[in-house]
Amino acid sequence: GDQGEQWNMAQVTLQSAITFQVTFEAIMGSNIYSDIAIDDITVIPGQCPGLGNCDFEDSTCTWQNTATGDNFDWMQGRGSSLSGFNGMVMDHTLNTPYGVYMYAHSAAPRKTGDKAWLVSPSFDNTTARCLTLWYKMMNNAPLHINVQPVEGTPTNLLTISQVGQDWQMKRVTINNQPKNYRVIIEQVVQTPGFSD
């Protein structure tokens, strides 16, 4: 069926007792608008991580910055000093200055109202999902968790505004979505230089 114009991510764990090769087969639709494209194929040892699961230690996994809808990108950080925090920020996964986390840096040239989106892969709307997120922030800039239907407009699911030096957890169930959807983690700059 129609998957929209955006790139979608798919993964499968490959297992076989004998040597094998992978073949991609495209079955085209009946009209001129039934094109199929593939890109960025990766084969790694081991089981596939759960779709959307990421600790950001090695990469952004299936999450990505977007080229449309926002003004700047989330970045991977490690042991950095961020606006409003005392000393270096240690990640939640390893709890060391060597661990990696994602952050939206609000310093110039950012302006009030600029936003950064970190976007999940597309999820099937037939299954309820639990989103768990660890965060820390020392600013008045709320963090928004939005849901965007495929080829639709994002709507706010949760707004996080609790500040503090320690990592805090938020959990929300995503269900009853009319279409397949993506999750957007959105940081909006309130005060440039102080909205990390």
Side-chain angles (χ1 to χ4, degrees), residues 105-118:
H105 192 51
S106 66
R110 302 293 146 244
K111 304 180 299 291
T112 299
D114 281 359
K115 55 191 172 184
W117 284 4
L118 188 62

Side-chain angles (χ1 to χ4, degrees), residues 22-42:
V22 176
T23 303
F24 294 94
E25 178 180 2
I27 301 174
M28 307 301 285
S30 60
N31 65 44
I32 63 170
Y33 301 107
S34 59
D35 295 340
I36 298 171
I38 61 174
D39 196 7
D40 299 326
I41 299 167
T42 305

Side-chain angles (χ1 to χ4, degrees), residues 2 41 60 65 80 119 128 135 146 163 173:
D2 187 358
I41 299 167
T60 58
N65 284 297
S80 300
V119 183
Y135 73 95
N146 300 325
V163 298
T173 299

Side-chain angles (χ1 to χ4, degrees), residues 107-163:
R110 302 293 146 244
K111 304 180 299 291
T112 299
D114 281 359
K115 55 191 172 184
W117 284 4
L118 188 62
V119 183
S120 76
S122 181
F123 292 112
D124 182 344
N125 69 328
T126 61
T127 303
R129 297 183 188 280
C130 176
L131 172 73
T132 302
L133 171 74
W134 287 91
Y135 73 95
K136 63 164 55 184
M137 60 182 160
M138 288 297 296
N139 59 59
N140 295 321
L143 183 66
H144 301 284
I145 308 299
N146 300 325
V147 174
Q148 180 182 28
V150 173
E151 301 297 316
T153 303
T155 56
N156 184 260
L157 182 67
L158 175 69
T159 297
I160 301 169
S161 56
Q162 185 175 355
V163 298

Side-chain angles (χ1 to χ4, degrees), residues 6-28:
Q6 78 287 339
W7 285 100
N8 293 299
M9 190 273 215
Q11 62 185 18
V12 61
T13 298
L14 305 171
Q15 292 181 227
S16 177
I18 59 172
T19 303
F20 65 93
Q21 74 181 55
V22 176
T23 303
F24 294 94
E25 178 180 2
I27 301 174
M28 307 301 285

